[in-house]
Amino acid sequence: MPRSTQPYVRTWQGWLYVAVVIDLFSRKVVGWAVADHMRADLVTGAFDMAVARRNVEPGLIFHSDRGSQYASNGMRRRLRRLKSKQSMSSKGNCYDNAVVESFNDKLKQELIHRHAWPTKAAAKLAIVDYIERFYNAQRLHSTLGYLSPNNFENQHAARAAV
């Protein structure tokens, strides 16, 4: 059951916005998009990446906050095409989206707020590197038995193969 939301990133050239889709099983960021706008295609870009990277089966539940980007026609069409359901946080309830909110907090603490970002390109490159090379591959999660998302998935796959 993926979850999604966006943090904001200030650069000297203006703002960037990040959308992520996280697999709740492994806490892995399976889809992401970075853009200088918060239009619906930011969110659908992250969702499309997640779908391309995963074997999505009918019945998937996609959870998000109540932002207009997540309620867009494009997002609803994608979910219908995949025979998937959409779940949204109840109004004013940030706990429904705690996994993604936690990721956003870590991204800000461990990367965004530690640097000045002269260019959007530099910030985007650093964000992608953080997600792919650090968060998914190295960052340990207590809910995963202190494994990284990649290692957790690898261990699960090895056990399933036995």
Side-chain angles (χ1 to χ4, degrees):
M1 186 174 359
R3 295 181 181 244
S4 186
T5 192
Q6 312 106 330
Y8 313 130
V9 181
R10 184 190 306 253
T11 75
W12 297 353
Q13 294 178 326
W15 289 95
L16 281 179
Y17 305 91
V18 181
V20 296
V21 177
I22 297 177
D23 186 312
L24 289 183
F25 171 71
S26 65
R27 302 302 201 256
K28 182 173 183 168
V29 176
V30 294
W32 52 262
V34 182
D36 60 1
H37 61 79
M38 282 188 22
R39 294 187 299 268
D41 61 329
L42 173 68
V43 170
T44 57
F47 183 79
D48 290 347
M49 178 188 284
V51 167
R53 290 177 154 189
R54 292 300 215 214
N55 183 21
V56 176
E57 297 178 10
L60 169 85
I61 298 173
F62 178 75
H63 183 80
S64 70
D65 65 23
R66 298 179 71 82
S68 62
Q69 301 89 345
Y70 298 100
S72 71
N73 289 331
M75 192 69 218
R76 290 198 311 259
R77 274 193 304 273
R78 282 165 172 79
L79 291 165
R80 273 194 306 271
R81 194 175 327 128
L82 294 168
K83 296 183 174 119
S84 299
K85 300 209 183 294
Q86 187 167 30
S87 165
M88 288 188 168
S89 302
S90 54
K91 192 172 185 177
N93 186 351
C94 62
Y95 302 109
D96 281 355
N97 222 20
V99 172
V100 172
E101 295 300 335
S102 177
F103 168 83
N104 289 341
D105 186 53
K106 301 292 185 266
L107 175 65
K108 290 174 185 175
Q109 285 179 19
E110 296 173 352
L111 178 69
I112 302 303
H113 296 316
R114 291 180 179 226
H115 304 277
W117 302 103
T119 66
K120 291 178 182 179
K124 182 176 180 177
L125 186 62
I127 291 164
V128 171
D129 187 65
Y130 175 86
I131 291 169
E132 296 294 344
R133 291 187 0 156
F134 176 68
Y135 189 85
N136 284 343
Q138 297 177 29
R139 191 167 202 299
L140 306 181
H141 295 257
S142 60
T143 57
L144 303 177
Y146 294 96
L147 295 171
S148 71
N150 287 351
N151 287 341
F152 182 80
E153 286 188 353
N154 291 341
Q155 268 194 10
H156 178 75
R159 282 190 210 127
V162 172

